[in-house]
Amino acid sequence: MKRIFGIAAVLLSQQLYAQQQQAPAYPLITHDPYFSVWSATDNLNASATRHWTGTEQSLTGFVKVDGVIYRVLGAPGHLYRQLAATADAAPYEVRYTETAPAKGWEDPAFSDADWKTGKAPFEKERKTAGTPWFSDDVWVRRTFNVDDTNVDNLLLKINHDDNAEVYLNGELIYSYVGWLNHMSYFPIKDEVRKKLRKGTNVLAMHCTNTRGGAYLDGGIVTELKDKWADKVKLAEQKNVELTATQTAYNFTCGKVDVKLTFTSPLLMKDLDLMSRPVSYISYKVKANDGSKHKVEVYFGASSDLAVNTPAQEVTAQQYNSEGLSILKTGTVAQPVLAKRGDDLRIDWGYLYVAVPQSAGAKQFVTGEGVAVGAFAGKGKTPKVDKGTQLVLNTTVSLGKVDGTEKEQVFLLGYDDLYAIQYFNTNLRPWWKKDDSYTIEKELKKAQDEYAAIIGRCNAFDKELYEDTKKAGGEKYAKLCVLGYRQSISAHKLVKSPQGEILFLSKENFSNGCINTVDVTYPSAPLYLIYNPDLMKGMLTGIFYFSESGKYTQPYAAHDLGTYPLANGQAYGEGMPVEESGNMIILTAAIAKAEGNANYAKQHWKTLTTWAEYLLKEGFDPANQLCTDDFAGHLARNANLSVKAIVGLGSYAMLADMLGDKVTAEKYRKAAKDMVPKWMQLADDGDHYTLAFENKGSWSQKYNLVWDKVLGLDLFPKSVYQKEIKYYLTRQLAYGLPLDSRKNYTKSDWIIWTATLADSPADFSAFIDPLYKYAQETTSRVPISDWHETEDGKMVGFQARSVVGGYFMPLLGTTIKK
């Protein structure tokens, strides 16, 4: 067994269950939709770390061995000098028109005297710091002055929605059909760079809005060189090990070996621990040559973790508290809960890096690009306490290190002050029960409980891996490991004003909604297994929305707003059958998991309203929105009909558990009577159709899984068997398509479909291509649940909570116990 040093000697060895594997992206810091940092390359030191949205949020790590510096974490950040600043960095005015201009509008000599004057950005918003833009096209000209044209690495910095073309001094430098999700940088060719003039220059842009939102903001920057890039050695990464709560990297730094482990202790049975916004970064170091070596370790965190855009000004400080040496940073403005949307990062609250004072750490704040020199001991390090893109630096000397392992742990925490606005009331995070609960005390508890928490994480990781492997094999277990932290950290845990658990999801990179029911539905298996109270926390807000009278439709709402503001449904169209079926089925699953229907009893009137709606409208659904409408709306959806039938059967099960035998019999009979009609209308010989009487079509009937898992016994097994046999003939390289309209798929639904299989061989036949996708996709983001089955590329979505649905096969083996 591997030797473990000091306080870690009591911990379980991870070698039995830590699995070396590739991932589309590797979880490092995973707590909630804002405090979420990932590595998008297989080697940890090959790229800058990123927020799940793709925006750089740099964490850096170095190990100094006998004076030689090795990089183990992150990559040199990007430093830019603004030549023509974008609006996120500094306000600017432009000349613009929304009427097609005369030919040559992009030329510097063109007269724009009759154009309007406005501020950037241009966006489809009435309330904007820029210019409201609601027409189809906008043409923009801005002038900027350059003192020195001797610049390298000239870049266009732009964000646009939709199609855009950009000219610099009359030369086309950019053209793109489509839209960008965030501010992006594009190199300008040398021959065009030479057109840059000393004095006045003209940047001309044209943007076309084809649908949805509209946005335009562009400028010119130059990237500054990192003078230390060639003076730091790259540590040699040996492997990476993933478990449910930990990601561990093994490196060789010359004559010492280093194990760098990131632990986010998301143990769902302990809500106080799970909600504590503190991750551990552990450096374990030992010599590999039988000698002693002087070793120092460094950890750096960019203030970009505490801003939405890098141009936002921050403050930073160092202080001591609770026996800890602490660095802190956050924005000057502190716009608490002021923004809502999808492609956003937090810009309120404060980021913390802490180590015990007993470690004798050196802590200091610098600008980007200065830290390496300070760690190397070269030159003076200027003190900084305000600016943009600051770095929180901590170094610890481990003294002489031999073959006995030494460990240094760094704590990374985030206090968001207020986390969610819930029907116009600002809620604190779960851990902050009152003013006596401070982040310093949470950091102290995290430090004091380190050994015990790592022991609990190791034990849980081992249990999860063994249980999922037993339920579906090694590849299935590895998919569950990939999904665990991603799913949990797409939620925020708070307490409602009524004192109830609220566990609210963000619909990551699909529209940013909060507490979306058809995101909750696929996420459910993970929480039903490990803590049904969290499952309730995903439903309670939706129940409250109806029961408070704020939502009056006879079917369930789609969402509660746009994250982090949960003030009422934001989505413009409902999903009546979809969401009503989801809510009833999940309430029944809670009852099955807990062995009682107490939660259902609290909401019985609302559940009855929704069941009555399904009884009336669910069997042969009208042309209404559902979760599978990627290829367009569809009436008479056979899989949606299955959901309605299973929803009615679930309601009957709940009525029976509550002792209402008459109601139970009525709804069970209604559901059972629908099944032969469904089989007739959906029949297409060797399979069932995508929509009733739509011959030649097919779709995954993943909603059937609840009939099996909840033991409702509504559909004959022959339906499952016929579908499974047919699906096995439709698979492509990276999985089973969602339906006959397109070749893309949803990985969560594939695993639900696979759960319908009777034999391990058939189950594996669905899992193997999906695992292949997770290993080979070129889309380096927290695993996308919507991908192409031919080439393995993501279509859309990333970092979503729905990968909790990967646990459905395990739920099927545990919920009946």
Side-chain angles (χ1 to χ4, degrees), residues 474-509:
E474 184 177 33
K475 291 179 180 178
Y476 169 67
K478 289 182 177 181
L479 287 171
C480 289
V481 167
L482 279 182
Y484 184 82
R485 271 176 282 171
Q486 175 173 318
S487 183
I488 298 171
S489 62
H491 296 82
K492 189 68 177 183
L493 183 66
V494 294
K495 183 178 290 186
S496 77
Q498 295 75 33
E500 298 172 302
I501 293 171
L502 296 175
F503 191 51
L504 306 176
S505 65
K506 180 176 182 181
E507 194 171 339
N508 289 344
F509 266 29

Side-chain angles (χ1 to χ4, degrees), residues 382-444:
K383 291 185 177 180
V384 180
D385 60 9
K386 184 182 285 189
T388 60
Q389 292 191 286
L390 304 184
V391 180
L392 307 182
N393 308 276
T394 305
T395 70
V396 177
S397 173
L398 299 181
K400 293 288 187 178
V401 175
D402 55 20
T404 301
E405 194 170 66
K406 287 188 177 182
E407 180 178 25
Q408 179 58 52
V409 177
F410 299 85
L411 307 175
L412 188 69
Y414 205 100
D415 182 1
D416 54 11
L417 307 177
Y418 286 93
I420 296 291
Q421 187 174 98
Y422 182 71
F423 294 102
N424 301 306
T425 298
N426 290 353
L427 303 180
R428 291 171 165 173
W430 177 273
W431 65 268
K432 191 175 286 192
K433 302 183 192 312
D434 56 48
D435 289 337
S436 70
Y437 287 79
T438 66
I439 189 65
E440 289 85 0
K441 290 179 180 178
E442 293 300 308
L443 289 164
K444 172 64 171 172

